[in-house]
Amino acid sequence: GDSVTQMEGPVTLSEEAFLTINCTYTATGYPSLFWYVQYPGEGLQLLLKATKADDKGSNKGFEATYRKETTSFHLEKGSVQVSDSAVYFCALRRISSYKLIFGSGTRLLVRP
Amino acid sequence: DVKVTQSSRYLVKRTGEKVFLECVQDMDHENMFWYRQDPGLGLRLIYFSYDVKMKEKGDIPEGYSVSREKKERFSLILESASTNQTSMYLCASRKLAGDYGAGELFFGEGSRLTVL
């Protein structure tokens, strides 16, 4: 069945460091791909999305490119801030499906 | 501002009790979802409702039921709580779109349930 695999956390970085959080997926067809973020004590919120191959989603300095050939959707940011500390979830949804399938989440901790 | 409100942030219940988790959204969304979130497992779908009085089982429906009598409200029911249902429960809603929902899921803040 469909699945999403994320790198295990926690990921600990110093402020202004470069961030990559890996995400790969298994799905038939051409799913839509998403990154959600969960700040401490809050629910999840959409960070960015891409709906077809080679699309790049971007928001708040974060980027991810839909790579069909490697079935990946890695999250990147050039310079992280302490306020980026959160749990990041990669997710997919197949066309004509209601269901969003989530990865296990990656905790990011950014130190001043 | 869009809002999904879950009735209780923290609950402590005893084994065998009946538990109700309530979720209300003010965005006139058709789709509503209940997930549970556990460390290392991410979010797993319990039930979803694509419209009023409509419901479908998700990946882990055993031990749970749901009710959607009004569009804005989606309730999760644990008929007889057990310790393995201790978890964080997240409600979400989404506007129905042409391809069953390319749109964003809006989440509540979660209800942390402890079953003793």
Side-chain angles (χ1 to χ4, degrees):
Chain A
D2 298 344
S3 66
V4 176
T5 302
Q6 290 181 236
M7 60 189 291
E8 292 231 6
V11 174
T12 303
L13 296 173
S14 297
E15 206 165 22
E16 299 184 2
F18 185 86
L19 168 71
T20 300
I21 299 178
N22 290 339
C23 171
T24 57
Y25 68 90
T26 302
T28 53
Y30 297 88
S32 295
L33 301 174
F34 305 83
W35 278 101
Y36 278 80
V37 59
Q38 185 179 33
Y39 297 104
E42 298 183 13
L44 280 72
Q45 56 187 274
L46 180 66
L47 181 59
L48 53 84
K49 68 180 180 184
T51 56
K52 60 183 188 294
D54 300 324
D55 263 4
K56 177 185 282 189
S58 61
N59 186 25
K60 299 182 181 179
F62 290 89
E63 292 183 340
T65 301
Y66 188 143
R67 301 284 188 204
K68 180 78 179 156
E69 62 277 12
T70 53
T71 62
S72 65
F73 193 53
H74 303 321
L75 183 68
E76 296 182 336
K77 187 175 185 184
S79 176
V80 292
Q81 306 300 312
V82 173
S83 57
D84 294 326
S85 298
V87 181
Y88 292 82
F89 291 91
C90 186
L92 71 82
R93 186 190 56 79
R94 268 201 274 156
I95 292 173
S96 300
S97 170
Y98 292 100
K99 205 160 84 167
L100 205 61
I101 296 168
F102 286 87
S104 57
T106 303
R107 182 176 299 278
L108 170 65
L109 178 60
V110 180
R111 300 193 184 280
Chain B
D1 223 9
V2 297
K3 203 151 178 67
V4 178
T5 304
Q6 295 184 228
S7 55
S8 305
R9 291 295 302 272
Y10 301 94
L11 302 94
V12 180
K13 299 290 181 181
R14 298 211 172 272
T15 301
E17 279 193 77
K18 190 169 185 175
V19 181
F20 292 87
L21 299 179
E22 305 285 341
C23 176
V24 177
Q25 50 95 3
D26 63 0
M27 297 165 282
D28 199 37
H29 285 173
E30 288 81 9
N31 300 163
M32 295 188 75
F33 305 79
W34 275 106
Y35 286 88
R36 64 176 281 177
Q37 180 181 6
D38 299 288
L41 297 177
L43 277 71
R44 293 178 291 167
L45 183 64
I46 305 171
Y47 266 96
F48 68 97
S49 168
Y50 43 93
D51 212 332
V52 179
K53 297 191 186 294
M54 302 296 191
K55 59 186 179 185
E56 281 199 28
K57 294 179 180 179
D59 298 316
I60 51 164
E62 297 77 19
Y64 303 95
S65 62
V66 290
S67 172
R68 183 114 181 255
E69 295 297 317
K70 294 185 177 180
K71 192 174 186 180
E72 67 271 18
R73 187 180 297 271
F74 191 36
S75 303
L76 180 69
I77 303 152
L78 288 67
E79 293 289 341
S80 177
S82 63
T83 55
N84 63 12
Q85 293 178 309
T86 291
S87 186
M88 171 71 85
Y89 291 87
L90 293 172
C91 176
S93 72
R94 180 178 63 201
K95 187 73 181 166
L96 183 65
D99 66 349
Y100 293 18
E104 164 178 7
L105 278 183
F106 291 87
F107 283 84
E109 293 181 330
S111 298
R112 184 167 292 283
L113 171 67
T114 302
V115 183
L116 302 175

